[in-house]
Amino acid sequence: MYLSFDVGGTNTKYSLINKNGEILKSGSIVTQDNRDIIFGRIKEVVKKFQNEGNKIEGLAFSMPGVIDVKRGHMITGGALYDLYDFPFKSELEKYIGIPVELENDVNCVALAEKWLGNAKDLNNFLCLTVGTGVGGAIFVNGEMLRGANFAAGEFGFMITDRREDYEEASLSMSGSVRGGLLKAYAKRKNINWECLTGEEIFELSHNGDEIATKVIDEFYTSLAYSIYNLAVSLNPEKILIGGEITKRSDFIEILEKKVEIIKKDVCPLEMPKLERCKFLNDSGKIGAVYHFILMQKERKN
């Protein structure tokens, strides 16, 4: 049995997961940007499951930011600034006394897909997650590509067009739900973006709101540019896309059409298949367990 935690800026989801990747029990706790509070709440969850008679073999973590997986060291931590440059693995192992492994959250999504999902039989594929921002992960020749500083796959920092505001031109703004839909629409309407949801933008477009329709088209275009660039740069067999917005029935179809338009007059190469990730909210936790199993085997050899 493993306890797996998907740590987010607002909430931390956790599950008891067996060696086959099956989720047995789940829950969530509030995340605070304080390492002592984070550790204390993790310990409470561990004790709860142990008191129910479960033998916990390890603690697996899907974390925001750039992670040195060899040392279990957090180089950055997304919105959790108290975890920057922090030896998470060694400190938590001392605090709780159970083996710990941690990995970047989108890398965990890719690992879940490789282990039990839509990339089981693939050696070369990419994962793209679309939500508050845009994240990425790269599998090449059957292995995770981590880069010189463990930061490979930070697709959200790519520039997708020629706007003078480079932040707005980044994929994490132009191709995310928050930036590409909510903020883009609110800016043109001069309203507060925090009062909006992605579903409302699509509903407005359906009801004839031309600005909403324009914003949605630009959002898909930014994603399509990035997918095309990644496809011709890395030549993956498949690009898997995760995030709540991918539940829309026409999401993949619209993206495929836009990518095809871009490549038609430029590139003779065949584009990789676009597909939704098999696991949605549970991806990080499942992938973190697979990472734990792989890392523990590596450390024993």
Side-chain angles (χ1 to χ4, degrees), residues 4-38:
S4 189
F5 296 80
D6 187 357
V7 181
T10 304
N11 294 298
T12 295
K13 298 173 291 183
Y14 61 84
S15 291
L16 184 68
I17 300 178
N18 65 21
K19 65 180 182 179
N20 298 317
E22 298 167 332
I23 294 176
L24 306 177
K25 293 182 181 179
S26 298
S28 67
I29 50 180
V30 175
T31 307
Q32 286 186 245
D33 188 12
N34 181 295
R35 63 182 67 164
D36 294 330
I37 293 174
I38 290 171

Side-chain angles (χ1 to χ4, degrees), residues 80-98:
L80 301 176
Y81 296 100
D82 201 34
L83 297 182
Y84 277 56
D85 191 21
F86 179 58
F88 189 97
K89 172 181 165 65
S90 60
E91 290 299 314
L92 188 58
E93 286 179 340
K94 282 190 291 185
Y95 183 65
I96 294 185
I98 297 175

Side-chain angles (χ1 to χ4, degrees), residues 2 5 35 38-40 42-43 46-47 50 56-61 68-73 86-102 291-293 295-297 299-300:
Y2 306 95
F5 296 80
R35 63 182 67 164
I38 290 171
F39 275 23
I42 290 168
K43 190 171 188 177
V46 172
K47 289 297 181 185
Q50 287 176 329
I56 309 300
E57 300 290 340
L59 306 181
F61 288 85
D68 178 342
V69 296
K70 301 295 185 183
R71 295 187 295 148
H73 188 96
F86 179 58
F88 189 97
K89 172 181 165 65
S90 60
E91 290 299 314
L92 188 58
E93 286 179 340
K94 282 190 291 185
Y95 183 65
I96 294 185
I98 297 175
V100 171
E101 299 291 352
L102 57 149
H291 173 72
F292 182 96
I293 294 169
M295 287 303 298
Q296 288 290 299
K297 284 181 180 178
R299 294 187 195 284
K300 289 176 183 177

Side-chain angles (χ1 to χ4, degrees), residues 156-174 222:
F157 294 130
M158 292 193 299
I159 302 300
T160 59
D161 59 41
R162 296 183 179 180
R163 301 182 207 187
E164 291 183 5
D165 185 327
Y166 289 128
E167 183 183 7
E168 285 192 1
S170 71
L171 183 60
S172 264
M173 288 296 290
S174 64
S222 289

Side-chain angles (χ1 to χ4, degrees), residues 2-263:
Y2 306 95
L3 257 180
S4 189
F5 296 80
D6 187 357
V7 181
T10 304
N11 294 298
T12 295
K13 298 173 291 183
Y14 61 84
S15 291
L16 184 68
I17 300 178
N18 65 21
K19 65 180 182 179
N20 298 317
E22 298 167 332
I23 294 176
L24 306 177
K25 293 182 181 179
S26 298
S28 67
I29 50 180
V30 175
T31 307
Q32 286 186 245
D33 188 12
N34 181 295
R35 63 182 67 164
D36 294 330
I37 293 174
I38 290 171
F39 275 23
R41 289 179 177 163
I42 290 168
K43 190 171 188 177
E44 289 174 4
V45 173
V46 172
K47 289 297 181 185
K48 180 183 78 169
F49 280 99
Q50 287 176 329
N51 291 338
E52 293 174 356
N54 298 292
K55 184 181 179 184
I56 309 300
E57 300 290 340
L59 306 181
F61 288 85
S62 166
M63 304 290 294
V66 178
I67 314 294
D68 178 342
V69 296
K70 301 295 185 183
R71 295 187 295 148
H73 188 96
M74 296 194 67
I75 299 170
T76 68
L80 301 176
Y81 296 100
D82 201 34
L83 297 182
Y84 277 56
D85 191 21
F86 179 58
F88 189 97
K89 172 181 165 65
S90 60
E91 290 299 314
L92 188 58
E93 286 179 340
K94 282 190 291 185
Y95 183 65
I96 294 185
I98 297 175
V100 171
E101 299 291 352
L102 57 149
E103 172 64 288
N104 166 267
D105 47 13
V106 187
N107 285 354
C108 284
V109 172
L111 286 164
E113 295 298 322
K114 178 62 179 170
W115 188 22
L116 300 168
N118 294 329
K120 282 175 67 174
D121 302 320
L122 304 182
N123 286 317
N124 297 277
F125 69 95
L126 308 178
C127 271
L128 199 71
T129 57
V130 181
T132 303
V134 177
I138 306 168
F139 252 81
V140 176
N141 297 331
E143 296 184 354
M144 183 79 70
L145 182 65
R146 303 189 185 280
N149 300 301
F150 301 96
E154 292 290 339
F155 303 152
F157 294 130
M158 292 193 299
I159 302 300
T160 59
D161 59 41
R162 296 183 179 180
R163 301 182 207 187
E164 291 183 5
D165 185 327
Y166 289 128
E167 183 183 7
E168 285 192 1
S170 71
L171 183 60
S172 264
M173 288 296 290
S174 64
S176 69
V177 174
R178 181 177 62 180
L181 292 177
L182 308 187
K183 287 189 174 183
Y185 182 81
K187 184 177 181 180
R188 297 183 191 190
K189 286 284 191 176
N190 197 27
I191 58 176
N192 183 359
W193 69 270
E194 294 175 321
C195 299
L196 297 167
T197 66
E199 283 301 317
E200 287 173 343
I201 303 293
F202 282 97
E203 186 65 26
L204 287 165
S205 174
H206 180 73
N207 292 331
D209 186 321
E210 293 183 2
I211 292 178
T213 300
K214 177 71 171 173
V215 163
I216 291 169
D217 183 69
E218 291 173 352
F219 160 78
Y220 277 116
T221 298
S222 289
L223 281 175
Y225 281 150
S226 63
I227 287 168
Y228 170 81
N229 288 336
L230 290 168
V232 297
S233 298
L234 296 166
N235 190 216
E237 299 164 81
K238 189 183 288 186
I239 296 179
L240 297 167
I241 307 176
E244 284 295 309
I245 194 170
T246 66
K247 290 181 179 179
R248 296 191 62 80
S249 60
D250 59 354
F251 181 84
I252 297 294
E253 180 185 355
I254 291 172
L255 266 183
E256 285 178 331
K257 287 179 178 177
K258 282 195 167 286
V259 171
E260 195 60 33
I261 290 170
I262 295 168
K263 85 128 215 171

